[in-house]
Amino acid sequence: MGQPQYQVTDPATGEVVRTYPFASDADVEAALRRATDAFEPWRDRPIEERVQITRRVAALFTERAEELAALIETEMGKARVEGLGETQFCTDIFTYYADHGPDLIVPRPVPGHPTARIEYRAQGPIVGVMPWNYPYYQVARFAAPNLIVGNTMVLKHAENCPTSALAIADIMRDAGVPDGVYENLFATHEQVAAIIADRRTRGVSLTGSERAGSAVAAEAGRNLKKVVLELGGSDPYIVLDTDDPDAAAETAWTFRIENVGQACNANKRMIVMADVYDDFVAALARRAAAMTPRRPGSRGGPGEYSPMVSRRAAELLLAQVRDAVDKGATVHAGGTLLDGPGAYFEPTVLTGVTPQMRAFHEELFGPVAVVYRVDSDDEAVRLANAVDFGLGASVWSADRARAEAVASRLDAGMVNVNTPSSEAADIPFGGTKRSGFGRELGPLGIEEFVNKRLFYVQP
């Protein structure tokens, strides 16, 4: 199950700051009962009122940004400046669904049948199982569309992020979300399985690891529940050509080091053409070697790296890097876990990775950039598609037609040309293969947990 309770452990120091007990079975039953009882009144409430409340949620994320950012700095090590950016993204997401959600679920006519329409109807209590790497953003993209649709939610957050989970629950309450519409539970894994199996819940959304996704999908399947999964990624970042390898490396490194590399859709595999490769690797290595640990009190800057989420996570990353090096890979910078109780892993540039190494097949969830050398567009595509993940991808070239041709051949849920990522509140997010299925955000995100009901009147 992991740690024996919900617990805040500062990854900069290893200090246990605060603990919370797991929910009792009685707590779980009470939350399910409230969510069930609240559903029909919330669904039937005028959508204009749900929109107004959702706007207030958006405003409170902005009003409380400093407090919220401070909480996750202690919980999972995120630099204050990145935490503030995350809270702003939450405001954007709730605002987007308040602005556009009602139009996205307006009944649609069925072409050729003037008396038929497709309605988008709320379904009931939906279970959310959330991760630690973006404690607010991940909740926002789950909660915002469900508020507008009229579903109620039972949410289980990551066990190392209880204070941010409580802060979100406070925002919901203070914004006017009725009791039972948003239920936060410090549930165990066994209790989550029971909640998914309970006949009162109608679906489940999980963001997390492949292992967690497999377990949740199996439980949902056994109980015939709709499931959305956003799992791991090992996104290819293909550099076909550039007149400025140093600038190209700057863009690639800035994206890779965001959240200390702990992002599902980070550019974990950089695939670079041979004529650019040496200069690109050297430029990456200079940037990695120049970074220094961000110590408590610093809000974070481009030359600093934060601790990873935990010492254990850093040790797992170190084992992956050592496996690669032992089998012939080359470390150009970094590769060391700093001594002490903290979770500071030196930003790392790794080359020479082969299919015999863990680093080729596994997600490297931390500040490690793996760079591959290729000699043709076809080789780049084969390498990009060689892993079981399929979350995002990006292709770079001064010749946009060439980049688009390569990008069109990639097996991924999100493909970008000449930009690292197209993340925005109105852009759908999700993957394929072992990166999961379903979509969040944008017009697709609001459709996942609705009954697309046919309403037909005989002419």
Side-chain angles (χ1 to χ4, degrees):
M1 181 187 302
Q3 61 193 24
Q5 56 198 343
Y6 279 67
Q7 178 173 292
V8 177
T9 302
D10 189 337
T13 64
E15 175 191 2
V16 176
V17 177
R18 194 163 184 181
T19 62
Y20 298 82
F22 285 122
S24 68
D25 290 345
D27 293 332
V28 172
E29 172 57 29
L32 281 171
R33 186 172 60 252
R34 287 192 298 269
T36 303
D37 291 345
F39 169 59
E40 289 189 6
W42 181 244
R43 179 197 64 189
D44 296 339
R45 194 162 177 168
I47 195 168
E48 294 81 7
E49 294 182 14
R50 297 202 299 270
V51 164
Q52 185 179 18
I53 290 171
T54 302
R55 287 194 192 284
R56 182 60 181 152
V57 172
L60 287 175
F61 268 99
T62 294
E63 289 176 20
R64 300 178 185 180
E66 284 286 350
E67 170 195 340
L68 297 173
L71 291 175
I72 59 174
E73 180 180 9
T74 304
E75 285 181 339
M76 46 75 64
K78 184 166 291 185
R80 191 68 61 90
V81 66
E82 290 189 344
L84 292 172
E86 183 176 342
T87 60
Q88 180 58 53
F89 202 175
C90 293
T91 293
D92 295 344
I93 292 167
F94 283 101
T95 300
Y96 167 77
Y97 281 109
D99 287 346
H100 300 284
D103 290 338
L104 295 174
I105 55 174
V106 167
R108 302 292 196 266
V110 178
H113 297 275
T115 59
R117 63 181 183 267
I118 304 298
E119 299 177 332
Y120 297 83
R121 301 278 294 174
Q123 290 188 297
I126 308 298
V127 184
V129 182
M130 298 290 109
W132 51 261
N133 58 331
Y134 289 91
Y136 303 120
Y137 158 61
Q138 303 282 5
V139 173
R141 67 191 201 182
F142 166 71
N146 281 305
L147 285 177
I148 295 297
V149 165
N151 289 325
T152 58
M153 291 159 277
V154 178
L155 189 132
K156 186 267 183 198
H157 212 120
E159 292 168 25
N160 61 321
C161 293
T163 58
S164 56
L166 292 172
I168 298 170
D170 288 344
I171 283 176
M172 295 293 178
R173 183 192 65 246
D174 295 346
V177 175
D179 184 46
V181 172
Y182 182 95
E183 289 288 328
N184 180 75
L185 272 176
F186 290 160
T188 67
H189 294 182
E190 292 81 7
Q191 287 170 334
V192 170
I195 294 167
I196 295 170
D198 192 286
R199 64 178 180 79
R200 291 169 289 188
T201 60
R202 301 299 300 273
V204 57
S205 178
L206 174 137
T207 298
S209 67
E210 291 177 85
R211 179 181 176 184
S214 179
V216 163
E219 193 64 48
R222 278 193 293 270
N223 292 280
L224 300 179
K225 304 291 177 72
K226 170 70 182 290
V227 61
V228 169
L229 300 177
E230 196 274 278
L231 308 178
S234 190
D235 290 8
Y237 186 100
I238 302 173
V239 180
L240 299 175
D241 58 71
T242 178
D243 293 332
D244 190 344
D246 190 75
E250 173 68 21
T251 301
W253 182 251
T254 299
F255 188 52
R256 183 66 188 100
I257 206 67
E258 181 183 345
N259 203 26
V260 207
Q262 299 170 128
C264 298
N265 64 327
N267 50 341
K268 300 181 179 78
R269 295 180 299 138
M270 302 182 191
I271 299 169
V272 183
M273 283 294 166
D275 59 342
V276 177
Y277 176 86
D278 288 338
D279 289 341
F280 185 89
V281 170
L284 282 181
R286 286 196 300 272
R287 285 163 172 78
M291 297 194 76
T292 58
R294 180 186 63 79
R295 299 303 184 185
S298 170
R299 295 175 68 87
E304 297 179 324
Y305 65 94
S306 297
M308 291 179 60
V309 65
S310 68
R311 184 79 184 181
R312 180 174 179 272
E315 290 169 348
L316 290 173
L317 182 63
L318 180 63
Q320 291 170 306
V321 171
R322 284 179 172 170
D323 171 78
V325 172
D326 290 345
K327 294 174 181 175
T330 300
V331 171
H332 296 261
T336 299
L337 173 58
L338 300 189
D339 292 335
Y344 290 94
F345 193 99
E346 287 184 330
T348 300
V349 177
L350 190 65
T351 64
V353 170
T354 67
Q356 292 71 41
M357 303 170 188
R358 292 175 59 192
F360 186 92
H361 302 281
E362 297 177 6
E363 180 177 26
L364 300 182
F365 211 61
V368 177
V370 177
V371 192
Y372 296 90
R373 175 177 179 151
V374 293
D375 294 305
S376 70
D377 293 8
D378 286 346
E379 185 182 1
V381 170
R382 285 195 299 271
L383 182 56
N385 291 338
V387 301
D388 291 333
F389 295 106
L391 188 54
S394 61
V395 183
W396 297 77
S397 175
D399 181 345
R400 195 172 78 175
R402 179 189 180 192
E404 289 184 20
V406 169
S408 69
R409 299 167 63 189
L410 301 180
D411 295 334
M414 304 173 289
V415 178
N416 303 280
V417 172
N418 290 336
T419 184
S421 172
S422 52
E423 278 187 273
D426 56 352
I427 298 285
F429 188 104
T432 188
K433 299 196 287 188
R434 293 190 68 84
S435 290
F437 42 80
R439 293 294 181 268
E440 295 179 299
L441 298 178
L444 301 184
I446 203 167
E447 296 185 7
E448 290 290 355
F449 294 108
V450 294
N451 171 22
K452 297 173 187 176
R453 184 175 75 177
L454 171 67
F455 197 94
Y456 183 88
V457 178
Q458 178 64 28

